[in-house]
Amino acid sequence: MIEQPAYTRFGVSDEEWGLLVGLPQSVLTAAAAAESDGTRRTMAENAAGLETIAAGRESASPLVAAVAGEVVDRVGDPETGAELPVITPPDPKAVIEDVLARAGQASALLAARVDEGQAGAYRHWLVDIAEQVVGAASTGGILGLGGDAVTDSERRFRDRLSQVLND
């Protein structure tokens, strides 16, 4: 017997599933790019984001658990030491705008295809990923002391994402 792809359980196409699976890591990248704060801090942000994505595998939401499982299968499990490469987009503003547009598409897709509980869990999970990334490393200060835990640009991205997702 041929096993059906995971996305068929949620009534979405392969292309739509690609949007849902790609978005968590894109949110992580955009949140990290919201403030240029050096390789070490971006590594900490990536680690926090990947841990939050991986934790989604334990979600009570079958949608979040399935998406998180697929993301971890693709990029690696932080519990086994997997790390994401530091990505410094040449145009962070364009990346952020693209992610926000895709988040809006995903939110509309889920509103049309799954129940509100599943859609809400996915939207909240994306905002949580952004929250963990922007709060993972302070910016500014001296020798890692002081600085802003969450900068205005990071807060703005997180808040805009939440607004786009209506979370």
Side-chain angles (χ1 to χ4, degrees):
M1 178 169 193
I2 297 174
E3 187 175 323
Q4 294 294 317
Y7 59 82
T8 60
R9 294 184 291 158
F10 305 106
V12 298
S13 70
D14 185 36
E15 183 179 336
E16 292 165 336
W17 184 246
L19 170 67
L20 298 175
V21 170
L23 201 49
Q25 190 175 353
S26 295
V27 165
L28 184 163
T29 300
E35 183 70 41
S36 177
D37 46 15
T39 302
R40 184 179 54 78
R41 289 182 175 121
T42 301
M43 287 176 67
E45 292 170 341
N46 281 352
L50 186 55
E51 286 173 15
T52 307
I53 290 170
R57 294 176 296 180
E58 305 300 320
S59 174
S61 163
L63 174 64
V64 171
V67 170
E70 187 147 336
V71 173
V72 170
D73 286 347
R74 291 179 182 189
V75 302
D77 190 339
E79 292 178 9
T80 62
E83 293 182 5
L84 295 174
V86 172
I87 298 172
T88 307
D91 187 353
K93 289 180 182 182
V95 168
I96 288 169
E97 293 305 319
D98 175 65
V99 168
L100 293 172
R102 288 190 289 136
Q105 292 170 356
S107 187
L109 167 69
L110 293 175
R113 301 287 174 82
V114 300
D115 67 65
E116 180 52 37
Q118 295 294 326
Y122 181 85
R123 290 189 306 259
H124 181 74
W125 179 53
L126 291 180
V127 173
D128 190 39
I129 293 166
E131 181 73 32
Q132 295 306 312
V133 170
V134 301
S138 62
T139 300
I142 299 172
L143 298 174
L145 302 173
D148 295 321
V150 178
T151 66
D152 288 341
S153 59
E154 290 170 329
R155 187 175 298 108
R156 200 168 25 258
F157 170 72
R158 180 202 56 213
D159 293 349
R160 286 182 66 202
L161 178 66
S162 181
Q163 184 179 30
V164 165
L165 294 170
N166 296 313
D167 184 56

